[in-house]
């Protein structure tokens, strides 16, 4: 029997510590996928400036269509992300931020 590897059209985003996970579509902001998955994630401006939605990536990668979302280089280095303007590139784990 031959098996053809199938590539899922979306990634899996694990959220928080309780095992919640949602389908994270690469062509829409992570925040939208969270909401579609029933996750009550904070948001306000939805354009990468207010930082209400800030979270921390425990694993995985995102990309931004903005050159510089409202995060400092240090915050980015620590894994902070703004899900309203972050697009998933891999499966990922997102934690709420204590900032
Ligand atoms: S909702 Fe304002 S930065 Fe994400």
């Amino acid at each position: 029997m031959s098996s053809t590897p199938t590539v899922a059209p979306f990634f899996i985003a694990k959220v928080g510590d309780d095992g919640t996970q949602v389908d994270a579509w690469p062509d829409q902001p992570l925040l939208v996928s969270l909401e579609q998955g029933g996750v009550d994630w904070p948001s306000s401006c939805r354009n990468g400036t207010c930082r209400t939605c800030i979270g921390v990536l425990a694993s995985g990668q995102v990309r931004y269509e903005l050159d510089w979302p409202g995060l400092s280089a240090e915050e980015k280095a620590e894994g902070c992300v703004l899900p309203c303007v972050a697009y998933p590139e891999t499966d990922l784990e997102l934690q709420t931020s204590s900032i």
Side-chain angles (χ1 to χ4, degrees), residues 70-94:
L71 293 170
S72 69
E74 291 78 18
E75 287 167 339
K76 280 183 148 182
E78 289 168 8
C80 293
V81 292
L82 295 176
C84 68
V85 286
Y87 293 73
E89 291 205 301
T90 63
D91 291 347
L92 53 84
E93 283 180 66
L94 183 67

Side-chain angles (χ1 to χ4, degrees), residues 51-64:
R51 301 164 55 96
T52 300
C53 66
I54 196 165
V56 178
L57 272 192
S59 68
Q61 297 270 338
V62 297
R63 67 184 163 82
Y64 293 100

Side-chain angles (χ1 to χ4, degrees), residues 31-32 34-35 40-54 82-85:
L31 178 65
V32 175
L34 294 173
E35 291 171 343
D40 186 20
W41 194 265
S43 67
S44 179
C45 72
R46 307 178 77 94
N47 64 18
T49 53
C50 76
R51 301 164 55 96
T52 300
C53 66
I54 196 165
L82 295 176
C84 68
V85 286

